[in-house]
Amino acid sequence: MRKKIVAGNWKMNLNRTESIQLVSEISKEIKDIKIGNNRIIVAPVSVNLAAVVENQGNDKKIEYASQNMHFAEKGAYTGEVSAGILKGINVNITLLGHSERREYFKEDDVLLKQKVDAAIANEIEIIFCFGEKLEDRESENHFKIVESQIKNALFHLKESDWSKIVLAYEPVWAIGTGKTATPEQAQEMHAFIRNLVKENYHNNVAENVSILYGGSVKPANAQEIFGKPDVDGGLIGGAALKADMFAEIIRAMK
Ligand code: PEP
């Protein structure tokens, strides 16, 4: 049975002290929430990952992810971080393909496929992000775009590799804009995505993969969006930087 997940992408925000502080505030806020099989993940800036992991102590309610990862094991890739380096600090999850990486760092499907393969080879779980731009939705190409993003980077994987994949549908026009896809738009796309996985693999792969929605999720809209049958939680940007808001969104994950 697939898990519900709320993941926070902190982007290029918070220094070391602030990161540790926010984790401790979130821990306090969620102390009484029963997580059960659900998962809470946060993705701090990479240089602060080791500090938050080391500070975690026995509280394992929160898991940590990198915001990005390079495909090479090591070498002349100035400024990058490899799977092995992440594993060395006990980080076993990474975001890949966030729209800001695609847009500002020109990451394309070919590169993302290499990163996906490197993560899988190193047993790093992937939160794979994708989504259409506004012009794609307006020209009604959104299904086609999403299909190609997923196919090009993921559909060469073996069925067993899918236990390491979480999908995150993030329409670019909804990220950081305050505009959210309606719960119906999210459900429509998530059902389409699940069906794609089913057609390319099997029903059980499709039923077991968590598909998160991302794009201006806030406490006020989380419950309605997460209430849709194919929405298995969210990837949260802005609202993940405030412990009380993030905790409310976590509470919306039933
Ligand atoms: C994101 O960056 O993944 C995101 C969803 O941001 P926001 O929640 O701020 O729209």
Side-chain angles (χ1 to χ4, degrees), residues 1-2 159-160 162-163 194 197-199 201-210:
M1 192 57 195
R2 61 184 181 260
E159 191 177 316
S160 57
W162 278 75
S163 62
R194 202 176 301 286
V197 177
K198 181 177 156 181
E199 282 174 2
Y201 293 91
H202 290 297
N203 197 37
N204 64 322
V205 179
E207 285 305 317
N208 283 321
V209 67
S210 300

Side-chain angles (χ1 to χ4, degrees), residues 9 11 98 100 170 174-177 214-218 235-239:
N9 173 15
K11 310 192 185 190
H98 191 279
E100 288 149 19
E170 299 204 297
I175 296 180
T177 59
S216 299
V217 174
K218 304 277 182 278
L235 180 55
I236 321 297

Side-chain angles (χ1 to χ4, degrees), residues 73-137:
E73 255 324 306
K74 60 179 175 180
Y77 297 100
T78 303
E80 292 290 324
V81 172
S82 72
I85 290 169
L86 293 175
K87 293 194 80 153
I89 54 165
N90 293 321
V91 170
N92 299 300
I93 312 170
T94 188
L95 305 187
L96 287 180
H98 191 279
S99 67
E100 288 149 19
R101 300 288 323 167
R102 293 177 191 260
E103 179 72 16
Y104 305 138
F105 303 98
K106 306 294 169 231
E107 295 197 359
D108 61 13
D109 294 350
V110 175
L111 177 73
L112 288 169
K113 184 177 177 211
Q114 288 178 282
K115 291 187 174 204
V116 163
D117 287 342
I120 294 291
N122 285 281
E123 298 187 332
I124 298 241
E125 187 179 5
I126 300 160
I127 301 177
F128 186 76
C129 310
F130 52 90
E132 81 281 2
K133 294 182 180 168
L134 185 59
E135 64 259 32
D136 303 322
R137 185 158 277 266

